[in-house]
């Protein structure tokens, strides 16, 4: 593959996550000869808040009230930050924007605003709202089997008072840990689950957008798009993933999703990233062979 047209994968994390969770995937991509950039959205990564109350021994009362840097961060902030990364990556050639879980909301907002920066958008069991706002999908039949209490068991503080969502991922409560594992990594070992849990950060912002942030046919709809279904995902079940695919195809029937499927839970593709890296490599080859707007590179 020519380095002049080699795509850059821009990876966008989900809720409570950060760029660190992509490290194994980036290693696999690198060994396959692919360039990648993992993004930390505002208030994530080294911008996250880890209070002394979160350390051991924990101070539950302090954890419930300590301020967090992510308070007030909006979807618009996330999209603007991502667009800045996309602008820089685009100077080097084609860009493949890959999002996971809640990161899909930010990816969609960026694609709505700047489709010229993206040569392919990839959703890995990620939110791409079309017919409804994200929160409204939770009341739909496709989400009926989701255990919404899994995070609540480890919740810390009042979101309305904190201005953010806070979860105590360092809890030792067996019920909370079992619920989290069932929701996110039921097919992983306990050791893998606890390791991944320790890459999570306790705080997440509240804003997941409005109807104005849903996928827009005139902009988002122009970009080639792939949806990677995670076959054993219980936090974003297949019926919901398939509904998002269907709604996207109905919005842009002349530009339907390229649909792929990987086995595993919501996080398994990051714990065992080789299959995902090979799949993304195939998409890089597609993007290279049908590269658009070469005059914009460089």
């Amino acid at each position: 593959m020519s380095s002049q047209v080699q795509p850059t994968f821009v990876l966008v994390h989900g809720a409570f996550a950060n760029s660190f969770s992509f490290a194994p995937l980036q290693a696999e991509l690198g060994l396959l000869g692919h360039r990648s950039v993992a993004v930390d959205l505002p208030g994530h990564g080294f911008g996250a808040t880890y209070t002394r109350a979160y350390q051991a021994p924990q101070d539950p009362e302090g954890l419930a009230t300590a301020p967090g840097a992510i308070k007030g961060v909006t979807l618009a902030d996330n999209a603007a930050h991502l667009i800045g990364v996309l602008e820089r990556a685009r100077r080097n050639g084609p860009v493949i924007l890959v999002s996971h879980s809640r990161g899909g909301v930010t990816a969609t907002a960026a694609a709505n605003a700047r489709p010229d920066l993206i040569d392919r958008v990839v959703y890995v069991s990620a939110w791409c709202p079309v017919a409804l706002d994200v929160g409204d999908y939770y009341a739909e039949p496709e989400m009926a089997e989701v255990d919404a209490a899994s995070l609540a068991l480890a919740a810390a503080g009042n979101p309305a008072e904190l201005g953010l969502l806070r979860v105590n991922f360092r809890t030792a409560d067996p019920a909370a840990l079992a619920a989290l594992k069932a929701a996110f990594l039921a097919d992983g070992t306990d050791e893998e689950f606890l390791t991944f849990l320790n890459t999570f950060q306790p705080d997440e912002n509240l804003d997941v957008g409005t109807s104005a942030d849903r996928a827009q046919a005139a902009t988002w709809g122009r970009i080639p798009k792939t949806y990677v279904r995670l076959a054993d995902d219980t936090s974003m079940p297949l019926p919901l993933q398939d509904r998002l695919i269907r709604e996207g195809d109905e919005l842009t029937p002349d530009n339907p999703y390229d649909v792929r499927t990987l086995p595993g839970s919501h996080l398994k593709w990051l714990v065992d990233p080789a299959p995902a890296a090979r799949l993304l490599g195939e998409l890089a080859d597609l993007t290279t062979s049908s590269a658009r707007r070469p005059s914009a590179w460089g």
Side-chain angles (χ1 to χ4, degrees):
M1 183 184 297
S2 170
S3 61
Q4 294 181 338
V5 296
Q6 179 185 359
T8 299
F9 290 102
V10 175
L11 310 171
V12 184
H13 59 77
F16 301 101
N18 46 56
S19 63
F20 309 154
S21 60
F22 286 120
L25 176 63
Q26 288 188 279
E28 289 293 332
L29 287 171
L31 291 171
L32 293 175
H34 301 294
R35 182 171 54 211
S36 65
V37 175
V39 177
D40 277 313
L41 296 175
H44 293 79
F46 286 110
T49 297
Y50 286 86
T51 70
R52 289 186 179 275
Y54 194 56
Q55 300 299 113
Q58 289 193 317
D59 173 9
E61 292 183 4
L63 183 60
T65 57
I70 208 167
K71 178 181 179 179
V73 171
T74 65
L75 175 57
D77 295 328
N78 286 343
H81 179 79
L82 176 56
I83 287 170
V85 174
L86 294 171
E87 288 174 336
R88 295 175 64 187
R90 194 73 171 82
R91 298 169 191 163
N92 301 313
V95 170
I96 300 176
L97 176 58
V98 181
S99 62
H100 178 225
S101 195
R102 198 189 196 208
V105 180
T106 298
T108 301
N112 283 338
R114 294 295 307 274
D116 57 302
L117 299 175
I118 306 165
D119 292 86
R120 179 173 293 272
V121 58
V122 181
Y123 295 88
V124 183
S125 192
W127 286 101
C128 182
V130 176
L132 300 173
D133 294 349
V134 170
D136 293 334
Y137 281 100
Y138 280 89
E140 295 295 291
E142 292 85 358
M143 294 290 279
E145 301 301 317
V146 173
D147 180 12
S150 59
L151 286 178
L153 287 173
N158 184 335
E161 295 175 359
L162 289 172
L164 50 82
L165 298 172
R166 177 166 291 160
V167 175
N168 182 10
F169 291 110
R170 291 179 178 165
T171 179
D173 179 3
L177 290 172
L180 289 168
K181 187 173 188 294
F184 298 117
L185 193 59
D187 49 356
T189 66
D190 288 345
E191 290 76 15
E192 289 171 336
F193 165 67
L194 291 174
T195 298
F196 207 109
L197 210 59
N198 276 279
T199 71
F200 277 158
Q201 57 189 61
D203 295 351
E204 185 54 74
N205 73 309
L206 293 171
D207 185 15
V208 291
T210 67
S211 57
D213 301 300
R214 300 176 193 171
Q216 298 173 9
T219 49
W220 173 89
R222 291 164 27 200
I223 305 169
K225 52 188 183 289
T226 295
Y227 202 103
V228 181
R229 303 159 76 245
L230 297 182
D232 306 302
D233 195 335
T234 57
S235 62
M236 285 192 68
L238 273 182
L240 175 68
Q241 297 176 56
D242 289 339
R243 175 171 174 170
L244 295 175
I245 294 167
R246 183 174 67 253
E247 290 178 352
D249 289 351
E250 291 170 352
L251 182 67
T252 58
D254 294 332
N255 182 24
Y257 277 108
D258 161 52
V259 180
R260 311 293 179 100
T261 303
L262 288 173
S265 62
H266 197 62
L267 298 179
K268 186 65 173 178
W269 72 290
L270 295 171
V271 173
D272 180 17
R278 290 192 295 269
L279 187 156
L280 292 174
E282 293 173 6
L283 298 181
D285 291 340
L286 278 179
T287 301
T288 301
S289 63
S290 59
R292 304 180 294 132
R293 303 183 297 279
S295 61
W297 306 334

